[in-house]
Amino acid sequence: MKPILSQEEQLTQTNFCVIVPTYNNNKTLEKVLNSVLTYTNNIIVVNDGSTDKTGEILEDFPDLVQIHHPQNQGKGIALQNGFYKAIALNYEYAITIDSDGQHFASDIPSFINFIQNEPNTLLIGSRNMTQENVPKKSSFGNKFSNFWFWFETGIRLEDTQSGFRLYPLQLIPEKHYTTKFEFEIEVIVRSAWKGISVKNIPVKVLYDPLERVSHFRPFRDFTRISVLNTVLVFIALVYIKPRDLVRKIKKKGLKKFLLEDILESDESNFKKSSAIALGVFIGISPFWGFQTVLLLFLATLFKLNKVIAFVASNISLPPLIPLIIYGSLKMGSLFVPNNSSLIQNDSMILYDVSKNVTQYVVGSLILASLMALLFGLTSYLILTFFNTNKK
């Protein structure tokens, strides 16, 4: 049984440092550093090109590791340089805390205590965004960020924008692509994609309008974050989610995967059959090249089982494609007149689709709807029968 350590023992025996990125926060920087020193001397301060009295303040802390940028480069670069320095100094974990005074160093022991039980977790301090003096734009931005983080990773968090965090330095991605505030989104999404556990931990927060200085530029930074999320969503839909599905099937084996993740999953029979219907509809519909992206987006939107939907979408396997296209053209001919006759042979695919695009699109959507209804209803009856017999 693992011995229970006191708070002081946990702090001294855990190989961690605290990184403090700062830019023109001379009103609060000294107070933040003194509060952190109460818990550890392992502090790395990154002065990101401050033009106020930050340099003078840091002269009073000669024992701290300091990094000075000649010009402001952005919070992302400041954090990355702090990480590189911490790794060079052989630290295992790095806690980041903003220098604007909104966080309390007294929460540092909570981070350290958490990783005693769940090591190698990336922790994000969860703030109470409903309390007094919290700017509405901060609350909205956090909800916006939480949604996209969930969409991109499948992990639900209460706060994804807090700068008070603990990073497992040896596990997070080594290379990064963003330099400003959006870096804090990139690093947690890509860490989650690597399989690192990302969780929230409650922390206190203070929004003092007289002392707190925010360098977040609403239009410019929100635009950068939106562009980043667009890229991350595309990568998640096209690569990450299909990759995870394939890994899951390989790990469990196809038979066990079908039993545990499809037949015996927690969803109701209606939701399972709806996922099958969605997969069949997308698989037959004329969305070539975008089927997987569209499927995962709709499955996430309607909260359907993405695994079941993806498996069902493979109704459009190569051997069946000629039959699906021929059936679509035949179905479309009932609604869109065309004088050319259809011949089902090897040349049928390219020739008839090019000559009868409208007929094919209309027929494909109608056929997809009918087959989705048929497969959905049939699968619902089969699943109901399966569950009845099981009981």
Side-chain angles (χ1 to χ4, degrees):
M1 184 176 179
K2 191 175 181 180
I4 299 176
L5 302 177
S6 66
Q7 176 179 299
E8 184 177 352
E9 289 173 329
Q10 289 180 356
L11 291 171
T12 55
Q13 295 185 24
T14 304
N15 186 16
F16 80 100
C17 67
V18 177
I19 298 174
V20 185
T22 185
Y23 174 62
N24 289 349
N25 281 126
N26 65 289
K27 291 183 179 180
T28 53
L29 177 60
E30 183 176 1
K31 180 172 65 176
V32 170
L33 292 178
N34 283 326
S35 65
V36 174
L37 282 168
T38 304
Y39 300 95
T40 180
N41 294 322
N42 303 330
I43 301 175
I44 299 174
V45 185
V46 185
N47 176 15
D48 190 24
S50 298
T51 56
D52 58 3
K53 296 181 179 180
T54 294
E56 298 176 23
I57 294 172
L58 291 179
E59 290 178 359
D60 295 331
F61 295 90
D63 295 332
L64 304 185
V65 177
Q66 299 182 20
I67 300 173
H68 294 271
H69 294 168
Q71 295 179 334
N72 179 253
Q73 299 183 48
K75 189 178 183 181
I77 295 294
L79 288 173
Q80 290 173 48
N81 287 339
F83 291 158
Y84 297 147
K85 189 65 175 180
I87 292 172
L89 294 173
N90 295 317
Y91 288 112
E92 185 178 1
Y93 296 99
I95 293 177
T96 61
I97 184 170
D98 294 335
S99 62
D100 59 4
Q102 70 166 291
H103 301 302
F104 291 80
S106 57
D107 283 316
I108 289 176
S110 298
F111 284 90
I112 301 303
N113 179 63
F114 190 101
I115 60 171
Q116 299 302 314
N117 300 315
E118 297 186 41
N120 298 325
T121 301
L122 195 163
L123 295 174
I124 304 174
S126 179
R127 304 160 294 176
N128 180 6
M129 303 301 288
T130 62
Q131 72 181 50
E132 188 178 0
N133 292 329
V134 176
K136 290 184 178 180
K137 63 180 181 181
S138 297
S139 180
F140 169 78
N142 192 47
K143 291 179 181 178
F144 178 86
S145 179
N146 294 347
F147 170 79
W148 287 115
F149 179 77
W150 163 74
F151 191 94
E152 292 151 6
T153 66
I155 301 172
R156 291 188 181 276
L157 295 179
E158 295 296 324
D159 193 343
T160 53
Q161 290 197 319
S162 171
F164 203 1
R165 304 178 175 190
L166 179 144
Y167 293 92
L169 292 170
Q170 303 299 326
L171 300 180
I172 60 176
E174 295 180 6
K175 187 175 182 181
H176 308 96
Y177 302 96
T178 52
T179 61
K180 307 294 184 182
F181 285 99
E182 69 273 15
F183 167 78
E184 291 182 299
I185 296 174
E186 178 199 344
V187 68
I188 61 173
V189 170
R190 293 182 57 216
S191 293
W193 287 350
K194 285 188 66 177
I196 299 172
S197 177
V198 182
K199 295 186 177 182
N200 276 142
I201 181 172
V203 296
K204 300 180 289 296
V205 65
L206 171 67
Y207 281 91
D208 188 339
L210 298 178
E211 290 192 344
R212 182 174 180 266
V213 177
S214 174
H215 301 291
F216 186 86
R217 299 159 298 181
F219 178 77
R220 186 178 299 181
D221 289 321
F222 188 77
T223 299
R224 295 172 71 96
I225 290 171
S226 297
V227 171
L228 173 64
N229 277 317
T230 300
V231 174
L232 293 176
V233 165
F234 180 79
I235 295 173
L237 293 177
V238 172
Y239 173 67
I240 298 298
K241 293 185 183 296
R243 178 205 69 180
D244 292 346
L245 173 60
V246 171
R247 286 179 176 177
K248 198 171 188 179
I249 294 175
K250 284 184 177 180
K251 184 177 181 180
K252 289 189 172 184
L254 183 60
K255 183 178 179 180
K256 188 176 180 181
F257 167 78
L258 291 173
L259 286 173
E260 292 185 358
D261 292 78
I262 296 183
L263 295 178
E264 296 182 359
S265 61
D266 294 333
E267 287 96 346
S268 65
N269 291 339
F270 175 77
K271 296 208 75 172
K272 292 177 185 176
S273 57
S274 296
I276 292 173
L278 174 64
V280 171
F281 177 82
I282 296 297
I284 295 177
S285 296
F287 303 117
W288 306 107
F290 300 96
Q291 288 179 323
T292 300
V293 174
L294 184 60
L295 172 74
L296 294 174
F297 175 78
L298 292 175
T300 302
L301 182 65
F302 295 113
K303 298 181 180 179
L304 298 176
N305 190 308
K306 292 182 282 293
V307 174
I308 296 177
F310 181 77
V311 171
S313 70
N314 285 288
I315 190 174
S316 57
L317 289 170
L320 297 178
I321 289 177
L323 292 175
I324 291 174
I325 294 178
Y326 182 78
S328 298
L329 289 168
K330 270 292 190 182
M331 183 67 70
S333 66
L334 300 176
F335 300 89
V336 181
N338 195 295
N339 294 327
S340 60
S341 58
L342 297 176
I343 301 174
Q344 187 178 3
N345 56 34
D346 293 339
S347 64
M348 175 269 298
I349 298 177
L350 294 177
Y351 177 78
D352 281 323
V353 169
S354 64
K355 295 294 183 181
N356 307 282
V357 174
T358 303
Q359 191 181 81
Y360 166 70
V361 171
V362 171
S364 178
L365 292 173
I366 295 174
L367 179 65
S369 300
L370 293 175
M371 295 302 291
L373 183 62
L374 175 63
F375 274 79
L377 180 59
T378 303
S379 60
Y380 179 79
L381 294 175
I382 292 174
L383 289 170
T384 301
F385 176 77
F386 175 84
N387 287 342
T388 302
N389 281 352
K390 183 180 177 181
K391 291 177 182 180

mmCIF file with all atom_site columns, all heavy atoms in Angstrom, residues 89-110:
data_model
loop_
_atom_site.group_PDB
_atom_site.id
_atom_site.type_symbol
_atom_site.label_atom_id
_atom_site.label_alt_id
_atom_site.label_comp_id
_atom_site.label_asym_id
_atom_site.label_entity_id
_atom_site.label_seq_id
_atom_site.pdbx_PDB_ins_code
_atom_site.Cartn_x
_atom_site.Cartn_y
_atom_site.Cartn_z
_atom_site.occupancy
_atom_site.B_iso_or_equiv
_atom_site.pdbx_formal_charge
_atom_site.auth_seq_id
_atom_site.auth_comp_id
_atom_site.auth_asym_id
_atom_site.auth_atom_id
_atom_site.pdbx_PDB_model_num
ATOM 1   N N   . LEU A 1 89  ? 16.324 21.149 -17.309 1.00 0.00 ? 89  LEU A N   1
ATOM 2   C CA  . LEU A 1 89  ? 16.663 21.068 -15.882 1.00 0.00 ? 89  LEU A CA  1
ATOM 3   C C   . LEU A 1 89  ? 16.156 19.772 -15.245 1.00 0.00 ? 89  LEU A C   1
ATOM 4   O O   . LEU A 1 89  ? 16.178 19.616 -14.024 1.00 0.00 ? 89  LEU A O   1
ATOM 5   C CB  . LEU A 1 89  ? 16.081 22.278 -15.142 1.00 0.00 ? 89  LEU A CB  1
ATOM 6   C CG  . LEU A 1 89  ? 16.687 23.632 -15.526 1.00 0.00 ? 89  LEU A CG  1
ATOM 7   C CD1 . LEU A 1 89  ? 15.921 24.775 -14.865 1.00 0.00 ? 89  LEU A CD1 1
ATOM 8   C CD2 . LEU A 1 89  ? 18.163 23.696 -15.146 1.00 0.00 ? 89  LEU A CD2 1
ATOM 9   N N   . ASN A 1 90  ? 15.638 18.869 -16.111 1.00 0.00 ? 90  ASN A N   1
ATOM 10  C CA  . ASN A 1 90  ? 15.213 17.512 -15.696 1.00 0.00 ? 90  ASN A CA  1
ATOM 11  C C   . ASN A 1 90  ? 13.989 17.490 -14.788 1.00 0.00 ? 90  ASN A C   1
ATOM 12  O O   . ASN A 1 90  ? 13.836 16.567 -13.970 1.00 0.00 ? 90  ASN A O   1
ATOM 13  C CB  . ASN A 1 90  ? 16.381 16.771 -15.021 1.00 0.00 ? 90  ASN A CB  1
ATOM 14  C CG  . ASN A 1 90  ? 17.529 16.515 -15.979 1.00 0.00 ? 90  ASN A CG  1
ATOM 15  O OD1 . ASN A 1 90  ? 17.319 16.123 -17.124 1.00 0.00 ? 90  ASN A OD1 1
ATOM 16  N ND2 . ASN A 1 90  ? 18.742 16.757 -15.504 1.00 0.00 ? 90  ASN A ND2 1
ATOM 17  N N   . TYR A 1 91  ? 13.107 18.464 -14.913 1.00 0.00 ? 91  TYR A N   1
ATOM 18  C CA  . TYR A 1 91  ? 11.853 18.405 -14.165 1.00 0.00 ? 91  TYR A CA  1
ATOM 19  C C   . TYR A 1 91  ? 10.880 17.452 -14.856 1.00 0.00 ? 91  TYR A C   1
ATOM 20  O O   . TYR A 1 91  ? 10.849 17.347 -16.083 1.00 0.00 ? 91  TYR A O   1
ATOM 21  C CB  . TYR A 1 91  ? 11.219 19.793 -14.054 1.00 0.00 ? 91  TYR A CB  1
ATOM 22  C CG  . TYR A 1 91  ? 11.951 20.730 -13.122 1.00 0.00 ? 91  TYR A CG  1
ATOM 23  C CD1 . TYR A 1 91  ? 12.633 21.849 -13.603 1.00 0.00 ? 91  TYR A CD1 1
ATOM 24  C CD2 . TYR A 1 91  ? 11.974 20.482 -11.755 1.00 0.00 ? 91  TYR A CD2 1
ATOM 25  C CE1 . TYR A 1 91  ? 13.305 22.705 -12.748 1.00 0.00 ? 91  TYR A CE1 1
ATOM 26  C CE2 . TYR A 1 91  ? 12.652 21.335 -10.887 1.00 0.00 ? 91  TYR A CE2 1
ATOM 27  C CZ  . TYR A 1 91  ? 13.316 22.441 -11.391 1.00 0.00 ? 91  TYR A CZ  1
ATOM 28  O OH  . TYR A 1 91  ? 13.991 23.276 -10.536 1.00 0.00 ? 91  TYR A OH  1
ATOM 29  N N   . GLU A 1 92  ? 10.077 16.774 -14.049 1.00 0.00 ? 92  GLU A N   1
ATOM 30  C CA  . GLU A 1 92  ? 9.091  15.823 -14.579 1.00 0.00 ? 92  GLU A CA  1
ATOM 31  C C   . GLU A 1 92  ? 7.765  16.507 -14.886 1.00 0.00 ? 92  GLU A C   1
ATOM 32  O O   . GLU A 1 92  ? 7.087  16.177 -15.864 1.00 0.00 ? 92  GLU A O   1
ATOM 33  C CB  . GLU A 1 92  ? 8.875  14.688 -13.575 1.00 0.00 ? 92  GLU A CB  1
ATOM 34  C CG  . GLU A 1 92  ? 7.963  13.579 -14.087 1.00 0.00 ? 92  GLU A CG  1
ATOM 35  C CD  . GLU A 1 92  ? 7.822  12.449 -13.077 1.00 0.00 ? 92  GLU A CD  1
ATOM 36  O OE1 . GLU A 1 92  ? 8.425  12.538 -11.975 1.00 0.00 ? 92  GLU A OE1 1
ATOM 37  O OE2 . GLU A 1 92  ? 7.109  11.471 -13.384 1.00 0.00 ? 92  GLU A OE2 1
ATOM 38  N N   . TYR A 1 93  ? 7.398  17.455 -14.035 1.00 0.00 ? 93  TYR A N   1
ATOM 39  C CA  . TYR A 1 93  ? 6.135  18.184 -14.205 1.00 0.00 ? 93  TYR A CA  1
ATOM 40  C C   . TYR A 1 93  ? 6.404  19.688 -14.184 1.00 0.00 ? 93  TYR A C   1
ATOM 41  O O   . TYR A 1 93  ? 7.351  20.154 -13.557 1.00 0.00 ? 93  TYR A O   1
ATOM 42  C CB  . TYR A 1 93  ? 5.145  17.856 -13.083 1.00 0.00 ? 93  TYR A CB  1
ATOM 43  C CG  . TYR A 1 93  ? 4.688  16.414 -13.046 1.00 0.00 ? 93  TYR A CG  1
ATOM 44  C CD1 . TYR A 1 93  ? 5.276  15.512 -12.167 1.00 0.00 ? 93  TYR A CD1 1
ATOM 45  C CD2 . TYR A 1 93  ? 3.665  15.962 -13.880 1.00 0.00 ? 93  TYR A CD2 1
ATOM 46  C CE1 . TYR A 1 93  ? 4.865  14.184 -12.118 1.00 0.00 ? 93  TYR A CE1 1
ATOM 47  C CE2 . TYR A 1 93  ? 3.245  14.640 -13.839 1.00 0.00 ? 93  TYR A CE2 1
ATOM 48  C CZ  . TYR A 1 93  ? 3.853  13.753 -12.956 1.00 0.00 ? 93  TYR A CZ  1
ATOM 49  O OH  . TYR A 1 93  ? 3.443  12.449 -12.924 1.00 0.00 ? 93  TYR A OH  1
ATOM 50  N N   . ALA A 1 94  ? 5.526  20.420 -14.862 1.00 0.00 ? 94  ALA A N   1
ATOM 51  C CA  . ALA A 1 94  ? 5.584  21.883 -14.804 1.00 0.00 ? 94  ALA A CA  1
ATOM 52  C C   . ALA A 1 94  ? 4.183  22.410 -14.537 1.00 0.00 ? 94  ALA A C   1
ATOM 53  O O   . ALA A 1 94  ? 3.229  22.052 -15.243 1.00 0.00 ? 94  ALA A O   1
ATOM 54  C CB  . ALA A 1 94  ? 6.122  22.462 -16.108 1.00 0.00 ? 94  ALA A CB  1
ATOM 55  N N   . ILE A 1 95  ? 4.053  23.225 -13.504 1.00 0.00 ? 95  ILE A N   1
ATOM 56  C CA  . ILE A 1 95  ? 2.792  23.922 -13.235 1.00 0.00 ? 95  ILE A CA  1
ATOM 57  C C   . ILE A 1 95  ? 2.921  25.320 -13.820 1.00 0.00 ? 95  ILE A C   1
ATOM 58  O O   . ILE A 1 95  ? 3.917  26.010 -13.581 1.00 0.00 ? 95  ILE A O   1
ATOM 59  C CB  . ILE A 1 95  ? 2.508  24.004 -11.725 1.00 0.00 ? 95  ILE A CB  1
ATOM 60  C CG1 . ILE A 1 95  ? 2.242  22.606 -11.164 1.00 0.00 ? 95  ILE A CG1 1
ATOM 61  C CG2 . ILE A 1 95  ? 1.317  24.920 -11.441 1.00 0.00 ? 95  ILE A CG2 1
ATOM 62  C CD1 . ILE A 1 95  ? 2.022  22.579 -9.660  1.00 0.00 ? 95  ILE A CD1 1
ATOM 63  N N   . THR A 1 96  ? 1.959  25.726 -14.611 1.00 0.00 ? 96  THR A N   1
ATOM 64  C CA  . THR A 1 96  ? 1.973  27.086 -15.167 1.00 0.00 ? 96  THR A CA  1
ATOM 65  C C   . THR A 1 96  ? 0.938  27.926 -14.433 1.00 0.00 ? 96  THR A C   1
ATOM 66  O O   . THR A 1 96  ? -0.179 27.469 -14.179 1.00 0.00 ? 96  THR A O   1
ATOM 67  C CB  . THR A 1 96  ? 1.650  27.078 -16.673 1.00 0.00 ? 96  THR A CB  1
ATOM 68  O OG1 . THR A 1 96  ? 0.335  26.543 -16.892 1.00 0.00 ? 96  THR A OG1 1
ATOM 69  C CG2 . THR A 1 96  ? 2.666  26.243 -17.441 1.00 0.00 ? 96  THR A CG2 1
ATOM 70  N N   . ILE A 1 97  ? 1.325  29.150 -14.096 1.00 0.00 ? 97  ILE A N   1
ATOM 71  C CA  . ILE A 1 97  ? 0.416  30.061 -13.410 1.00 0.00 ? 97  ILE A CA  1
ATOM 72  C C   . ILE A 1 97  ? 0.582  31.455 -14.011 1.00 0.00 ? 97  ILE A C   1
ATOM 73  O O   . ILE A 1 97  ? 1.699  31.930 -14.216 1.00 0.00 ? 97  ILE A O   1
ATOM 74  C CB  . ILE A 1 97  ? 0.683  30.074 -11.882 1.00 0.00 ? 97  ILE A CB  1
ATOM 75  C CG1 . ILE A 1 97  ? -0.342 30.951 -11.159 1.00 0.00 ? 97  ILE A CG1 1
ATOM 76  C CG2 . ILE A 1 97  ? 2.106  30.505 -11.567 1.00 0.00 ? 97  ILE A CG2 1
ATOM 77  C CD1 . ILE A 1 97  ? -0.280 30.807 -9.637  1.00 0.00 ? 97  ILE A CD1 1
ATOM 78  N N   . ASP A 1 98  ? -0.523 32.091 -14.350 1.00 0.00 ? 98  ASP A N   1
ATOM 79  C CA  . ASP A 1 98  ? -0.467 33.429 -14.940 1.00 0.00 ? 98  ASP A CA  1
ATOM 80  C C   . ASP A 1 98  ? -0.005 34.441 -13.899 1.00 0.00 ? 98  ASP A C   1
ATOM 81  O O   . ASP A 1 98  ? -0.211 34.265 -12.695 1.00 0.00 ? 98  ASP A O   1
ATOM 82  C CB  . ASP A 1 98  ? -1.843 33.824 -15.480 1.00 0.00 ? 98  ASP A CB  1
ATOM 83  C CG  . ASP A 1 98  ? -2.279 32.956 -16.658 1.00 0.00 ? 98  ASP A CG  1
ATOM 84  O OD1 . ASP A 1 98  ? -1.386 32.409 -17.333 1.00 0.00 ? 98  ASP A OD1 1
ATOM 85  O OD2 . ASP A 1 98  ? -3.494 32.824 -16.896 1.00 0.00 ? 98  ASP A OD2 1
ATOM 86  N N   . SER A 1 99  ? 0.587  35.519 -14.384 1.00 0.00 ? 99  SER A N   1
ATOM 87  C CA  . SER A 1 99  ? 1.133  36.536 -13.478 1.00 0.00 ? 99  SER A CA  1
ATOM 88  C C   . SER A 1 99  ? 0.174  37.700 -13.246 1.00 0.00 ? 99  SER A C   1
ATOM 89  O O   . SER A 1 99  ? 0.567  38.723 -12.680 1.00 0.00 ? 99  SER A O   1
ATOM 90  C CB  . SER A 1 99  ? 2.449  37.083 -14.044 1.00 0.00 ? 99  SER A CB  1
ATOM 91  O OG  . SER A 1 99  ? 2.225  37.714 -15.297 1.00 0.00 ? 99  SER A OG  1
ATOM 92  N N   . ASP A 1 100 ? -1.089 37.557 -13.673 1.00 0.00 ? 100 ASP A N   1
ATOM 93  C CA  . ASP A 1 100 ? -2.039 38.663 -13.519 1.00 0.00 ? 100 ASP A CA  1
ATOM 94  C C   . ASP A 1 100 ? -2.760 38.641 -12.180 1.00 0.00 ? 100 ASP A C   1
ATOM 95  O O   . ASP A 1 100 ? -3.613 39.489 -11.917 1.00 0.00 ? 100 ASP A O   1
ATOM 96  C CB  . ASP A 1 100 ? -3.057 38.658 -14.658 1.00 0.00 ? 100 ASP A CB  1
ATOM 97  C CG  . ASP A 1 100 ? -3.854 37.358 -14.740 1.00 0.00 ? 100 ASP A CG  1
ATOM 98  O OD1 . ASP A 1 100 ? -3.662 36.483 -13.867 1.00 0.00 ? 100 ASP A OD1 1
ATOM 99  O OD2 . ASP A 1 100 ? -4.654 37.209 -15.686 1.00 0.00 ? 100 ASP A OD2 1
ATOM 100 N N   . GLY A 1 101 ? -2.432 37.687 -11.326 1.00 0.00 ? 101 GLY A N   1
ATOM 101 C CA  . GLY A 1 101 ? -2.991 37.669 -9.977  1.00 0.00 ? 101 GLY A CA  1
ATOM 102 C C   . GLY A 1 101 ? -4.342 37.005 -9.840  1.00 0.00 ? 101 GLY A C   1
ATOM 103 O O   . GLY A 1 101 ? -4.912 37.007 -8.740  1.00 0.00 ? 101 GLY A O   1
ATOM 104 N N   . GLN A 1 102 ? -4.860 36.400 -10.904 1.00 0.00 ? 102 GLN A N   1
ATOM 105 C CA  . GLN A 1 102 ? -6.192 35.790 -10.788 1.00 0.00 ? 102 GLN A CA  1
ATOM 106 C C   . GLN A 1 102 ? -6.146 34.423 -10.117 1.00 0.00 ? 102 GLN A C   1
ATOM 107 O O   . GLN A 1 102 ? -7.167 33.942 -9.621  1.00 0.00 ? 102 GLN A O   1
ATOM 108 C CB  . GLN A 1 102 ? -6.860 35.671 -12.161 1.00 0.00 ? 102 GLN A CB  1
ATOM 109 C CG  . GLN A 1 102 ? -6.250 34.641 -13.097 1.00 0.00 ? 102 GLN A CG  1
ATOM 110 C CD  . GLN A 1 102 ? -7.141 34.329 -14.283 1.00 0.00 ? 102 GLN A CD  1
ATOM 111 O OE1 . GLN A 1 102 ? -8.206 33.729 -14.142 1.00 0.00 ? 102 GLN A OE1 1
ATOM 112 N NE2 . GLN A 1 102 ? -6.736 34.768 -15.456 1.00 0.00 ? 102 GLN A NE2 1
ATOM 113 N N   . HIS A 1 103 ? -4.981 33.782 -10.082 1.00 0.00 ? 103 HIS A N   1
ATOM 114 C CA  . HIS A 1 103 ? -4.866 32.455 -9.483  1.00 0.00 ? 103 HIS A CA  1
ATOM 115 C C   . HIS A 1 103 ? -4.220 32.524 -8.103  1.00 0.00 ? 103 HIS A C   1
ATOM 116 O O   . HIS A 1 103 ? -3.495 33.472 -7.782  1.00 0.00 ? 103 HIS A O   1
ATOM 117 C CB  . HIS A 1 103 ? -4.051 31.531 -10.389 1.00 0.00 ? 103 HIS A CB  1
ATOM 118 C CG  . HIS A 1 103 ? -4.628 31.364 -11.756 1.00 0.00 ? 103 HIS A CG  1
ATOM 119 N ND1 . HIS A 1 103 ? -5.896 30.878 -11.984 1.00 0.00 ? 103 HIS A ND1 1
ATOM 120 C CD2 . HIS A 1 103 ? -4.111 31.641 -12.990 1.00 0.00 ? 103 HIS A CD2 1
ATOM 121 C CE1 . HIS A 1 103 ? -6.135 30.844 -13.284 1.00 0.00 ? 103 HIS A CE1 1
ATOM 122 N NE2 . HIS A 1 103 ? -5.072 31.313 -13.915 1.00 0.00 ? 103 HIS A NE2 1
ATOM 123 N N   . PHE A 1 104 ? -4.471 31.497 -7.317  1.00 0.00 ? 104 PHE A N   1
ATOM 124 C CA  . PHE A 1 104 ? -3.943 31.421 -5.956  1.00 0.00 ? 104 PHE A CA  1
ATOM 125 C C   . PHE A 1 104 ? -2.901 30.313 -5.882  1.00 0.00 ? 104 PHE A C   1
ATOM 126 O O   . PHE A 1 104 ? -3.208 29.150 -6.165  1.00 0.00 ? 104 PHE A O   1
ATOM 127 C CB  . PHE A 1 104 ? -5.066 31.137 -4.957  1.00 0.00 ? 104 PHE A CB  1
ATOM 128 C CG  . PHE A 1 104 ? -6.034 32.280 -4.779  1.00 0.00 ? 104 PHE A CG  1
ATOM 129 C CD1 . PHE A 1 104 ? -7.049 32.493 -5.705  1.00 0.00 ? 104 PHE A CD1 1
ATOM 130 C CD2 . PHE A 1 104 ? -5.913 33.146 -3.699  1.00 0.00 ? 104 PHE A CD2 1
ATOM 131 C CE1 . PHE A 1 104 ? -7.941 33.549 -5.549  1.00 0.00 ? 104 PHE A CE1 1
ATOM 132 C CE2 . PHE A 1 104 ? -6.800 34.202 -3.537  1.00 0.00 ? 104 PHE A CE2 1
ATOM 133 C CZ  . PHE A 1 104 ? -7.814 34.408 -4.466  1.00 0.00 ? 104 PHE A CZ  1
ATOM 134 N N   . ALA A 1 105 ? -1.689 30.671 -5.468  1.00 0.00 ? 105 ALA A N   1
ATOM 135 C CA  . ALA A 1 105 ? -0.628 29.668 -5.336  1.00 0.00 ? 105 ALA A CA  1
ATOM 136 C C   . ALA A 1 105 ? -0.984 28.605 -4.304  1.00 0.00 ? 105 ALA A C   1
ATOM 137 O O   . ALA A 1 105 ? -0.432 27.503 -4.323  1.00 0.00 ? 105 ALA A O   1
ATOM 138 C CB  . ALA A 1 105 ? 0.687  30.349 -4.961  1.00 0.00 ? 105 ALA A CB  1
ATOM 139 N N   . SER A 1 106 ? -1.916 28.908 -3.444  1.00 0.00 ? 106 SER A N   1
ATOM 140 C CA  . SER A 1 106 ? -2.330 27.934 -2.422  1.00 0.00 ? 106 SER A CA  1
ATOM 141 C C   . SER A 1 106 ? -2.980 26.696 -3.023  1.00 0.00 ? 106 SER A C   1
ATOM 142 O O   . SER A 1 106 ? -3.174 25.688 -2.323  1.00 0.00 ? 106 SER A O   1
ATOM 143 C CB  . SER A 1 106 ? -3.297 28.596 -1.425  1.00 0.00 ? 106 SER A CB  1
ATOM 144 O OG  . SER A 1 106 ? -4.426 29.124 -2.102  1.00 0.00 ? 106 SER A OG  1
ATOM 145 N N   . ASP A 1 107 ? -3.310 26.758 -4.322  1.00 0.00 ? 107 ASP A N   1
ATOM 146 C CA  . ASP A 1 107 ? -3.875 25.579 -4.994  1.00 0.00 ? 107 ASP A CA  1
ATOM 147 C C   . ASP A 1 107 ? -2.798 24.657 -5.547  1.00 0.00 ? 107 ASP A C   1
ATOM 148 O O   . ASP A 1 107 ? -3.111 23.559 -6.023  1.00 0.00 ? 107 ASP A O   1
ATOM 149 C CB  . ASP A 1 107 ? -4.796 26.015 -6.147  1.00 0.00 ? 107 ASP A CB  1
ATOM 150 C CG  . ASP A 1 107 ? -6.151 26.496 -5.666  1.00 0.00 ? 107 ASP A CG  1
ATOM 151 O OD1 . ASP A 1 107 ? -6.722 25.836 -4.779  1.00 0.00 ? 107 ASP A OD1 1
ATOM 152 O OD2 . ASP A 1 107 ? -6.637 27.526 -6.168  1.00 0.00 ? 107 ASP A OD2 1
ATOM 153 N N   . ILE A 1 108 ? -1.524 25.081 -5.492  1.00 0.00 ? 108 ILE A N   1
ATOM 154 C CA  . ILE A 1 108 ? -0.439 24.239 -6.014  1.00 0.00 ? 108 ILE A CA  1
ATOM 155 C C   . ILE A 1 108 ? -0.410 22.865 -5.343  1.00 0.00 ? 108 ILE A C   1
ATOM 156 O O   . ILE A 1 108 ? -0.277 21.834 -6.025  1.00 0.00 ? 108 ILE A O   1
ATOM 157 C CB  . ILE A 1 108 ? 0.923  24.961 -5.874  1.00 0.00 ? 108 ILE A CB  1
ATOM 158 C CG1 . ILE A 1 108 ? 0.993  26.117 -6.875  1.00 0.00 ? 108 ILE A CG1 1
ATOM 159 C CG2 . ILE A 1 108 ? 2.084  23.989 -6.080  1.00 0.00 ? 108 ILE A CG2 1
ATOM 160 C CD1 . ILE A 1 108 ? 2.262  26.960 -6.765  1.00 0.00 ? 108 ILE A CD1 1
ATOM 161 N N   . PRO A 1 109 ? -0.545 22.762 -4.015  1.00 0.00 ? 109 PRO A N   1
ATOM 162 C CA  . PRO A 1 109 ? -0.548 21.430 -3.385  1.00 0.00 ? 109 PRO A CA  1
ATOM 163 C C   . PRO A 1 109 ? -1.660 20.517 -3.902  1.00 0.00 ? 109 PRO A C   1
ATOM 164 O O   . PRO A 1 109 ? -1.487 19.290 -3.923  1.00 0.00 ? 109 PRO A O   1
ATOM 165 C CB  . PRO A 1 109 ? -0.764 21.756 -1.901  1.00 0.00 ? 109 PRO A CB  1
ATOM 166 C CG  . PRO A 1 109 ? -0.191 23.134 -1.739  1.00 0.00 ? 109 PRO A CG  1
ATOM 167 C CD  . PRO A 1 109 ? -0.549 23.842 -3.007  1.00 0.00 ? 109 PRO A CD  1
ATOM 168 N N   . SER A 1 110 ? -2.782 21.100 -4.333  1.00 0.00 ? 110 SER A N   1
ATOM 169 C CA  . SER A 1 110 ? -3.872 20.273 -4.870  1.00 0.00 ? 110 SER A CA  1
ATOM 170 C C   . SER A 1 110 ? -3.446 19.576 -6.157  1.00 0.00 ? 110 SER A C   1
ATOM 171 O O   . SER A 1 110 ? -3.790 18.411 -6.393  1.00 0.00 ? 110 SER A O   1
ATOM 172 C CB  . SER A 1 110 ? -5.111 21.142 -5.125  1.00 0.00 ? 110 SER A CB  1
ATOM 173 O OG  . SER A 1 110 ? -5.590 21.718 -3.929  1.00 0.00 ? 110 SER A OG  1
#
